[in-house]
Amino acid sequence: MSMNILVLGGGGREHAIVKALKQSKKVTHVSCAPGNPGIAKEASCHLTDPTDMRKVLDLVQRLRPNLVVIGPEAPLASGVADALRRFEFKVFGPNQRAAQLESSKIFSKEFMLKYGVPTARHIVCQNKEEMLAAQAQFQAPWIVKADGLAAGKGVRICEDDGDFKKAAVDFFDKKVLGKASEKVIIEECIKGDELSVLALVADGKYSVLPMAQDYKRLGNGQSGPNTGGMGSYAPVKTWEKLLGKIEEKIIAPTVKGLEGEHFNYRGVLYFGIMIKDGEPYLLEYNVRFGDPEAQVILPLLQGDWADVFSQVADGKIPKLTWTKNSAVCVVLAAPGYPDDPKRGLRVIVEKQTLKETTPSTYILHAGTASHNGYITSGGRVLNLVGIEKNVPTARKRAYDLMPGILMEGMLFRTDIAEEVKGIASAAVKAKVKPAAKNKAKVKSKSKPKPKPKPKKSKKK
Ligand code: AMP
Ligand code: GLY
């Protein structure tokens, strides 16, 4: 069978999805809408807004894909999967009703309570007065969450009274998030270890993917503001012993709930988990792959993603086999990220670095655009990915690409996957070019220096 697949979205996650699909022998053509300049090297890109149902329908009428894989939450929340299914296209991604698990925090909390999924205690607030009155019900730090989708800006962790009042003013008076913060929830803070657990779900069946660690804060050592994720690695072996409990308490009741609500869920479901005193609590659902979790989970499959997505879209869960490898992803962000990333900045990927990329060490594009080369067009700009036998060597591969990337004021963390210990294989070490050599070369060409080896990442 030859497959023609359309991927909706245009970030690092979608680049990872496209790359995974390109490895399938069954896939004859991959298209992406809108894609980005990195994706354009591997797939045909169409400048279509993936949340605009009519435009997506026009596109699929022209392309006639055998399968549409929906990457981001926005098209899922706006009902693009439903529209495609009405026209009998095969879709990987849940319908609009199920997407409320991500597009409404209140909806997802009610679902968790109804199906007995352990989560943080919360109160719904419809206006500023209710929010201020609810403050006394919780202790600092107060977690305030806008109900609607807010592109990663909907959660405030308020350390003191001032922060809390500012959140109330921002959300209800200034309406900085528009409709997304018409209602908010205040939530008990659970301090613990965060973990991303994703599962493929199809009509009441599921299969858990390798667990991933996302690094949410902008700065090293979990400092600075929350971001969409500054790096990731998988698998997370430390918490494998807890998987049974996570399945029993969180995943299985959720999948039962999806059936109970007749969601006909066919796609991937992301569980944002906090582990406290050995007990898992669910912080949130995402109805899609995480970004940058997808970048480290997808390359670990020993098999064919086109086949897997296609079977899930048909309501089946195939048996999945995973390699013994580990993957690490380091995110390079534009200065000003996450609040106000600078757009239009020149991004240079040195030719030599491009030549050194391999199937297990490569660069994914996220927020880039083409303009006499590459420029920044979003907060998270590039992803460096390394895949190796263990986390430390995969990490080295990813970071070794860094000196070949030039972007003024680039932000990145230097501690992604640093805490994971393992024995770096001598053979691999010898193959990886020392970063210092690259650095010297960058300097001698007197291009803007990417600060390849900072002690701390910059915080804004
Ligand atoms: P969310 O979008 O709900 O995942 O929230 C974004 C981030 O805020 C999470 O990744 C956590 O780091 C943090 N967070 C959210 N809810 C809580 C909570 N109840 N307790 C502690 N931290 C939280
Ligand atoms: N990395 C977290 C997310 O994709 O929401």
Side-chain angles (χ1 to χ4, degrees):
M1 187 197 166
S2 62
M3 290 178 82
N4 166 17
I5 305 184
L6 170 66
V7 177
L8 295 184
R13 165 185 49 213
E14 287 74 30
H15 195 169
I17 293 173
V18 165
K19 204 173 200 30
L21 291 173
K22 291 287 286 183
Q23 277 159 31
S24 166
K25 290 203 172 68
K26 294 178 187 161
V27 173
T28 43
H29 195 80
V30 183
S31 323
C32 191
N36 64 38
I39 295 176
K41 291 205 184 313
E42 312 198 42
S44 49
C45 290
H46 302 267
L47 268 183
T48 301
D49 172 1
T51 61
D52 186 326
M53 219 177 293
R54 279 188 194 194
K55 290 194 175 138
V56 173
L57 285 175
D58 283 350
L59 184 66
V60 291
Q61 301 296 354
R62 277 196 285 129
L63 299 175
R64 306 299 312 172
N66 310 101
L67 173 69
V68 183
V69 178
I70 304 182
E73 61 278 19
L76 296 164
S78 65
V80 167
D82 310 52
L84 288 167
R85 287 192 175 108
R86 271 200 296 276
F87 283 85
E88 293 178 5
F89 286 95
K90 199 152 100 173
V91 183
F92 179 89
N95 58 35
Q96 191 175 27
R97 270 182 69 229
Q100 291 174 92
L101 288 173
E102 177 166 1
S103 66
S104 166
K105 296 277 185 203
I106 298 172
F107 182 93
S108 75
K109 279 290 194 181
E110 281 167 1
F111 178 95
M112 289 176 211
L113 292 180
K114 183 167 173 187
Y115 292 100
V117 176
T119 186
R121 185 171 63 86
H122 79 288
I123 292 182
V124 175
C125 309
Q126 314 263 2
N127 52 48
K128 191 172 148 196
E129 291 64 43
E130 284 184 16
M131 178 172 159
L132 296 176
Q135 185 181 8
Q137 305 290 318
F138 300 90
Q139 285 172 349
W142 293 273
I143 311 283
V144 182
K145 299 184 175 181
D147 178 48
L149 287 182
K153 294 189 177 167
V155 177
R156 297 275 180 100
I157 301 171
C158 306
E159 299 293 341
D160 56 36
D161 196 51
D163 285 350
F164 186 84
K165 296 230 158 53
K166 185 173 182 315
V169 169
D170 284 350
F171 288 170
F172 286 112
D173 293 344
K174 295 192 182 160
K175 303 185 185 348
V176 292
L177 298 177
K179 274 189 171 307
S181 66
E182 270 176 354
K183 294 178 197 161
V184 307
I185 62 172
I186 304 182
E187 198 171 283
E188 166 199 6
C189 177
I190 303 181
K191 285 212 165 98
D193 295 299
E194 260 187 281
L195 182 67
S196 305
V197 182
L198 287 81
L200 296 175
V201 179
D203 295 356
K205 305 170 287 296
Y206 70 87
S207 179
V208 183
L209 308 182
M211 296 194 271
Q213 184 70 59
D214 179 16
Y215 293 75
K216 299 248 180 198
R217 299 292 189 104
L218 182 68
N220 277 0
Q222 301 298 65
S223 60
N226 253 321
T227 70
M230 293 298 290
S232 55
Y233 77 87
V236 184
K237 300 228 164 97
T238 339
W239 295 117
E240 266 168 12
K241 56 184 183 296
L242 228 63
L243 183 59
K245 211 181 236 185
I246 293 171
E247 279 197 62
E248 181 206 336
K249 297 202 160 178
I250 295 177
I251 303 178
T254 295
V255 174
K256 207 169 155 210
L258 299 177
E259 287 298 281
E261 302 295 318
H262 305 290
F263 279 157
N264 304 322
Y265 200 104
R266 294 181 181 182
V268 62
L269 186 57
Y270 170 126
F271 302 83
I273 287 173
M274 189 71 91
I275 298 161
K276 185 185 173 194
D277 302 331
E279 287 300 318
Y281 296 86
L282 185 65
L283 295 186
E284 63 160 352
Y285 292 115
N286 292 327
V287 294
R288 36 115 190 139
F289 277 109
D291 185 344
E293 285 91 337
Q295 289 85 320
V296 292
I297 294 172
L298 294 170
L300 302 183
L301 181 76
Q302 198 160 43
D304 182 333
W305 275 111
D307 205 36
V308 172
F309 290 148
S310 176
Q311 291 208 45
V312 172
D314 281 335
K316 292 180 265 183
I317 293 284
K319 186 169 167 24
L320 304 180
T321 315
W322 301 95
T323 69
K324 292 205 167 8
N325 288 337
S326 294
V328 173
C329 171
V330 178
V331 170
L332 308 181
Y337 180 71
D339 292 336
D340 188 18
K342 198 156 178 195
R343 286 160 208 269
L345 278 180
R346 173 105 4 256
V347 181
I348 295 168
V349 181
E350 293 255 274
K351 281 208 179 80
Q352 187 57 28
T353 303
L354 267 185
K355 270 195 218 147
E356 283 159 12
T357 60
T358 67
S360 56
T361 311
Y362 49 85
I363 300 163
L364 298 174
H365 282 236
T368 62
S370 289
H371 184 78
N372 300 326
Y374 302 131
I375 54 170
T376 58
S377 68
R380 292 184 288 174
V381 180
L382 294 172
N383 304 156
L384 311 179
V385 180
I387 304 157
E388 257 297 345
K389 287 192 176 55
N390 54 41
V391 173
T393 47
R395 170 176 199 273
K396 179 162 168 45
R397 278 189 177 266
Y399 274 110
D400 277 356
L401 290 168
M402 179 94 73
I405 314 283
L406 311 173
M407 182 203 332
E408 215 181 321
M410 176 166 91
L411 303 177
F412 55 90
R413 284 178 61 155
T414 59
D415 65 346
I416 303 302
E418 189 178 49
E419 72 278 19
V420 188
K421 301 284 177 275
I423 320 258
S425 116
V428 171
K429 260 188 173 170
K431 268 194 247 162
V432 178
K433 192 163 91 169
K437 202 169 146 196
N438 267 349
K439 252 190 296 167
K441 190 184 61 187
V442 168
K443 218 175 174 179
S444 71
K445 285 196 176 172
S446 67
K447 284 186 179 145
K449 207 176 154 208
K451 299 190 178 67
K453 202 190 67 181
K455 290 282 176 289
K456 277 184 199 141
S457 70
K458 281 191 182 175
K459 276 181 282 156
K460 285 271 149 81

